[in-house]
Structures are given as structure tokens and as C-alpha cells.
Amino acid sequence: MSNLRLTMGCWDYDRTRSVMDGSIRPDGIDLTCLSLPVEETFFRMLRYKEFDVAEMSLSSYVVSLFKEERPFIAIPFFPSRFFRHSSIYVNANSNIREPRDLIGKRVGCPEYQMTAPAWIRGILSDEFGVPVDSVTYRTGGEESPNRTEKLKLSLPDNIKVEPIGPGQTLAAMLRDGEIDALYTARKPSTFEGKNGTVKRLFDNYVSVEREYFSRTGIFPIMHTFVIRREVYEKNRWVAQSIFKALNASQQKTYRDLQETAALKTMLPWAVAHYEETESEMGADFWPNGFDKNKKTLDVFLRYSYEQGLSRRQLKAEELFAPETLEAFVI
């Protein structure tokens, strides 16, 4: 019997590379992989469902579950995680010295439903007392004009979202003082460091993020993997095959990061950084699977509901193919 032929869109991460290059193959599947930047993968999957399997914004996926067709189902593998305190940028002339100074300001974000701004808004609300509805959000392209929301949103009246004009970009608007702050994933091209007009809200973001993790145990999840629902419904075993292969790829990455015979990355002190991270965050510092991530997922799902993105607060179990929530034992 021939293998099932599927396509997968994903960026070229170390933790997924062995699946992308074919050295680890999902059971029963011939996988054609396309390495694409995340914005392209998300756009093509959300608008046109071009791939059978794809990396997906966690927030976009949650929003998609409230669409009538529910086009995707996820597996609990998380290729992108990121502490986002470092991703809050401000104009130095906007008198924003601490988080609460954001209240009443104009804040850019490429899309309101993006995962990175959703985490930022939630953390600012929980940790620093900045209510989600206390700012005006301006949405649009960060570096190129005319970006729109990939998914149609129906937000409550207290959330103020205004698209920027044709020809405008958020990076330039932040530099020129047309917005006061920017919540984003990519560092804006107008960022100039600590002494520039565009700077980070948290100059000492590493220590802030470490303190956040030590207190909460949360390493924010940005992306998951989804399968087109019709593919999954015809071949329920696909979810477990893809999940197992991706986990095997990540385990190889853990081993590579520990290698001392020769460095497998171009960071001179990679081994020291690995050992430090392991000491601070545990041996499995980038956990996959449902049980190890339920707490983090529950927090994000609360944020999604509080920010008007979800019509009700989902349970974490509702996100994933049930076959991937447990494993056999011998």
C-alpha cells in the first residue's frame, strides 16, 4: 500500500528541520515540505487552505474555531514560543516610561488577532494594570502598506481598533510619533536601540522575562500545527503520525544543542547558554504535548476571550485532535 501524500508549510526551525529535510519521516506519509516565512504560511493557509498540514498562529487558530466550517484541527506541537516583553516598542517622545503610561495612548499592531499582541495585551493587563480597552489600536502593515486582518473579527464596542491609512506603515508611524507604541512580533526597521527615537519599553527585557517565567512558569506559545479538517477526518491516524515525527525532530535538536565535540550552531557560548537555560527552566524547557502546556494554553484562552477574540472561553482540550492528548504505554 502506498503512503499518503501530504503537503506541509512551516518555517525552517531547528526543532522541525529533520521532518522538513526528510531525515525523519512520519509513519505512513510522504510529506512535501515548503519552508516559508510565517506570515506567508499563515496567509496562504487561512485564506486558501493551500497545505494539508501547516504551522499556524495560535490566536488565528483559536479565532478559526468560531467560524462555521471550523477548517482546521491542531496537534499539541509548538514550533514557536517567545517571551514578548521585548516586543513592546515605544516612541521616546511619547512620555511612556512604564507600562501604565500606555493607558490612553495610540498603539499599533499589525493585526489585532495576532498571537504576539494578544499575549502582550494579556500580560500588560495581568501584570501591570493596563486594561485591554484603555488604548486605541491602529492596525496595518508594519513595513509594507495595506495589511488587513486575515480573519474577519467581530469585537465588542469597548475595544477600539482603527486601520491605518493607505500608504502608511506602523514602523514609520512609530518613528514619526503618529502612534505612541507598537505591539508586534518582528522588530521594526525603525528601532534604533536604547538611545533612539524608537526604543523598547523594557530595556532590561531579559531580566523582566526571566522573573516572569520564574513566577508564572509560562513560556508563551506563539504557534501550533494544524491539519485541514477534511484530511484529518478521512485519515484520523495522520494527527499522531505528524505529532510523533515532529517530537522526534525536536528531541534530535535537544541532543544537538548539548553537543560539545563541535558546535552545531554559530553561537560561541551555545553550550553554556543551553546549560544555563536547562538550570533555569528545566531539562524540557521547550515542552510539547498537552499536559505540560495546559496551564499556558488556559491563560492564552482566557486572554482571547477577554480581548473579544473568542465568543466564549474555550477549554484547552477543545483545541487538539483527541488522538494526540494521550499515548499508549507498554
Side-chain angles (χ1 to χ4, degrees), residues 76-78 243 247 287-294 297 320 324:
F77 187 89
F78 310 109
F243 185 47
N247 277 308
N288 288 300
F290 178 75
D291 291 338
K292 293 181 179 180
N293 289 284
K294 184 179 185 303
L297 291 163
F320 304 108
T324 62

Side-chain angles (χ1 to χ4, degrees), residues 250-251 254 278 281-288 292:
Q250 188 203 30
Q251 291 304 309
Y254 272 139
E278 186 178 47
M281 299 178 68
D284 189 15
F285 51 80
W286 196 296
N288 288 300
K292 293 181 179 180

Side-chain angles (χ1 to χ4, degrees), residues 104-245:
K105 300 295 188 182
R106 303 159 299 174
V107 176
C109 55
E111 297 180 42
Y112 182 79
Q113 61 85 31
M114 273 178 63
T115 308
W119 272 109
I120 290 168
R121 292 189 297 263
I123 289 170
L124 286 171
S125 177
D126 277 1
E127 303 283 319
F128 301 101
V130 181
V132 172
D133 61 0
S134 66
V135 309
T136 297
Y137 299 100
R138 303 296 310 277
T139 59
E142 183 172 327
E143 303 294 345
S144 302
N146 302 318
R147 179 171 177 171
T148 59
E149 298 278 353
K150 295 183 188 70
L151 295 168
K152 185 177 180 180
L153 302 179
S154 179
L155 299 172
D157 292 340
N158 64 311
I159 304 293
K160 301 180 289 292
V161 179
E162 302 172 358
I164 63 176
Q168 291 184 302
T169 66
L170 294 172
M173 292 175 72
L174 183 60
R175 178 198 60 209
D176 298 339
E178 296 177 82
I179 56 174
D180 303 297
L182 175 65
Y183 305 165
T184 189
R186 287 184 180 271
K187 181 172 65 177
S189 60
T190 50
F191 173 71
E192 299 170 326
K194 293 181 180 181
N195 299 316
T197 301
V198 175
K199 56 185 292 185
R200 285 189 171 97
L201 175 60
F202 296 102
D203 286 333
N204 60 333
Y205 65 88
V206 174
S207 62
V208 174
E209 291 169 351
R210 281 177 160 160
E211 190 278 332
Y212 170 79
F213 177 79
S214 69
R215 185 164 40 80
T216 67
I218 293 173
F219 184 10
I221 294 167
M222 297 293 126
H223 305 162
T224 186
F225 268 89
V226 298
I227 303 167
R228 283 196 297 117
R229 195 171 291 272
E230 60 262 38
V231 172
Y232 166 73
E233 293 294 351
K234 290 178 181 177
N235 306 277
R236 296 286 290 259
W237 55 271
V238 163
Q240 192 69 280
S241 287
I242 297 289
F243 185 47
K244 285 169 58 180

Side-chain angles (χ1 to χ4, degrees), residues 250-265:
Q250 188 203 30
Q251 291 304 309
K252 180 179 183 301
T253 302
Y254 272 139
R255 294 191 296 272
D256 286 348
L257 290 171
Q258 297 175 70
E259 184 57 69
T260 59
L263 291 174
K264 293 200 171 185
T265 71

